[in-house]
Structures are given as C-alpha cells and as structure tokens.
C-alpha cells in the first residue's frame, strides 16, 4: 500500500516568491535600506551573550516591552510571533472550529495568510471592494452578520492599493459585528488611522503590526498581535501550547 496525502493539502501549491537581488522590491515591500553599521555592531555583540543550548523566552518579553513602549501601549496586550503568518495561523487554529466561516476583503489584495484556512478546515469567503477599491463599510457589516462570519481579516491600509478605512469606519465595523476582526496594520506606520491604542475597548479586535516594513527588519520575521487582555492571554496560551507540543514530540521520539 502507498501513502496518500489528505484532500485538504493534496492540491496545494508551494508559494514561490520572486527570486533575485533588487534594490527595490515592490513585490515584497521591503525597506530598501539595510541597518546602519552601529546597529549591526550591537547585534554582533548581543550574539555573544546568547546561550544557544537554551530555548528562548517563548513570550519574547523584552521585544514585546520595547514594542509596547514605542507605541505607548500596555505590554500585556501584545503577543510576538514569527511574523504575522504564524499569528494568523495560530488564531485560525485556536479561535475557529471546523466548518466555521471566515471572510477576507479582496480585490487587488495581497495576503498569502488566507491560505491557512485550508489547513484549519475553515471556509473562506471573500468580500469584493468597490470599483474605486474602497471598502463599503455598511455592506461589509451586513455580509458579516448575514453570513454568520466568525473571523474577518483585511489589511488597513491595503497592500498594494494604499487605500485604507478610516478609524471612524473601523470602529463602527468592530462594534457592529459579532465576528472576531483582525485589522492587519502592517502599513499603518505610513498613515494615521490606527486603532492600536484602543484595543482594550473592544472584545473582538486584534491588530497586527510587523517589523518587516517601516522598521526594515524583514529578516527577523517578527510580527505582533495586539488585543485586549482576554484575547491576548488566549493567543499566548495557544502559542506556548504549540511550542510545548514540539518539545513533547521530541521527548516521545527519543523515549525521554
């Protein structure tokens, strides 16, 4: 007998990013400038202090505190991840159940993260933007509530159009739906309509931020989820549980 892949991954195609060396990478929206030499030197010195035989802090408390201080928020609302990709996969796996429906705002919208719904056995619907690439907030609210959407995900402002939803409309959206709302604010450092300082007010809001764009640290694969204390605690618990499972799997393999 031969082993066969299960149907949820059988037809998946690997993501193949454009390769090559370019000064400007619009496909990845990377910062075109590398770290200055003095920061590189600090990194080299920090490497000498690392105990490579030890697991790192699973909650990355130092970097979370630095992030929270920079944006003027409470660190208990912040969870660090290996990029936003890890965080969205973790949230879909932990907060959604098989057969639940999520909604992604699409139309000239780049987001490889939505592919994770296939692994989590979640149905993924799409909301198409208006002809001018704006989001009709009232129509979006209606669709979320009508179609029993459990998770809504979109980037604000949008990649690649640069258009965004105002903070006023975002507040109205979050308070008008029962779904968990993820606002991917990867490019909000270039705009002024963020809700990052308001997350504790809402029971259903998660803000994503990244160090890959404005901070110019794509090589670190460092992303952040910002939410109220209840959601943040659940995300952190799920993150540690996944890491512990990897360790326990290794122990079982070697009969430890």
């Amino acid at each position: 007998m031969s082993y066969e892949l299960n149907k949820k991954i059988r037809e998946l195609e690997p993501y193949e990013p454009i390769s090559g060396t370019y000064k400007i990478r619009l496909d990845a929206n990377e910062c075109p400038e590398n770290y200055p030499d003095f920061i590189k030197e600090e990194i080299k010195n920090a490497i000498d202090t690392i105990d490579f035989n030890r697991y790192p802090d699973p909650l990355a408390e130092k970097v979370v505190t630095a992030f929270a201080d920079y944006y003027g928020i409470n660190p208990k609302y912040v969870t660090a991840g290996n990029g936003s990709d890890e965080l969205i996969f973790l949230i879909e796996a932990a907060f959604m159940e098989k057969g639940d429906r999520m909604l992604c705002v699409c139309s000239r919208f780049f987001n490889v993260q939505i592919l994770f719904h296939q692994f989590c056995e979640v149905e993924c619907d799409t909301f198409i933007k208006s002809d001018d690439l704006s989001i009709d907030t009232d129509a979006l609210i209606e669709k979320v509530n009508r179609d029993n959407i459990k998770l809504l995900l979109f980037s604000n402002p949008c990649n690649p159009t640069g258009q965004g939803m105002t903070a006023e409309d975002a507040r109205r959206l979050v308070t008008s739906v029962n779904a968990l709302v993820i606002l991917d604010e990867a490019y909000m450092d270039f705009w002024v309509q963020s809700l990052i300082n308001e997350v504790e007010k809402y029971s259903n809001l998660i803000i994503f931020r990244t160090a890959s764009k404005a901070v110019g640290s794509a090589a670190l694969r460092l992303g952040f989820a910002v939410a109220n204390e209840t959601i943040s605690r659940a995300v952190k618990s799920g993150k540690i549980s996944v890491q512990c499972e990897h360790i326990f799997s290794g122990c079982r393999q070697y009969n430890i």
Side-chain angles (χ1 to χ4, degrees):
M1 298 180 65
S2 60
Y3 176 76
E4 293 185 0
L5 297 175
N6 64 55
K7 63 180 181 180
K8 68 180 181 181
I9 62 172
R10 189 177 301 145
E11 298 180 359
L12 289 180
E13 295 291 336
Y15 173 64
E16 297 182 0
I18 298 174
S19 60
T21 301
Y22 306 95
K23 178 65 176 177
I24 304 295
R25 289 289 303 267
L26 293 180
D27 63 306
N29 281 325
E30 298 164 340
C31 178
E33 302 297 333
N34 202 347
Y35 284 163
D37 290 339
F38 77 93
I39 292 182
K40 291 181 182 178
E41 191 63 30
E42 290 185 20
I43 293 173
K44 292 175 184 177
N45 293 335
I47 289 175
D48 290 335
T49 68
I50 296 176
D51 295 324
F52 286 94
N53 59 316
R54 302 298 182 190
Y55 288 106
D57 172 12
L59 297 180
E61 289 188 1
K62 288 184 178 180
V63 73
V64 162
T65 299
F67 174 90
D69 288 346
Y70 182 79
Y71 287 104
I73 58 180
N74 194 318
K76 68 182 180 182
Y77 300 144
V78 182
T79 305
N82 295 321
S84 298
D85 287 352
E86 181 198 26
L87 292 169
I88 185 58
F89 179 76
L90 175 63
I91 290 168
E92 284 189 33
F95 288 74
M96 306 282 282
E97 297 181 327
K98 182 177 180 180
D100 281 349
R101 303 188 71 190
M102 66 178 290
L103 179 66
C104 295
V105 177
C106 295
S107 179
R108 298 175 181 87
F109 168 61
F110 172 81
N111 201 331
V112 71
Q113 297 164 345
I114 66 175
L115 298 178
F116 293 141
H117 77 273
Q118 294 176 263
F119 297 112
C120 299
E121 299 183 282
V122 170
E123 296 181 24
C124 187
D125 199 354
T126 56
F127 179 85
I128 305 301
K129 296 179 182 180
S130 305
D131 290 340
D132 63 356
L133 303 182
S134 64
I135 297 174
D136 185 332
T137 306
D138 291 325
L140 180 57
I141 291 172
E142 180 183 1
K143 181 173 179 59
V144 170
N145 291 333
R146 181 186 68 238
D147 295 348
N148 194 29
I149 300 298
K150 297 298 181 64
L151 172 64
L152 170 64
L153 168 65
F154 67 97
S155 60
N156 191 40
C158 175
N159 172 16
T161 68
Q163 293 196 37
M165 178 182 288
T166 65
E168 180 180 357
D169 277 348
R171 293 186 192 99
R172 184 160 60 89
L173 169 65
V174 171
T175 56
S176 300
V177 299
N178 292 322
L180 180 64
V181 179
I182 298 178
L183 298 182
D184 187 348
E185 293 188 349
Y187 300 94
M188 191 58 76
D189 292 298
F190 305 103
W191 205 30
V192 292
Q193 298 293 317
S194 176
L195 297 187
I196 195 171
N197 298 108
E198 305 177 24
V199 292
E200 74 279 4
K201 298 179 181 179
Y202 308 107
S203 63
N204 62 329
L205 175 63
I206 300 177
I207 298 289
F208 278 175
R209 285 297 184 97
T210 179
S212 299
K213 309 305 179 184
V215 183
S217 303
L220 296 181
R221 299 302 298 132
L222 184 58
F224 300 90
V226 186
N228 68 39
E229 191 170 4
T230 299
I231 292 178
S232 293
R233 185 167 57 249
V235 174
K236 291 171 185 175
S237 298
K239 182 177 175 64
I240 293 177
S241 296
V242 170
Q243 292 171 334
C244 288
E245 175 59 26
H246 290 165
I247 298 173
F248 295 152
S249 295
C251 292
R252 289 192 293 268
Q253 179 180 354
Y254 294 101
N255 296 320
I256 297 176

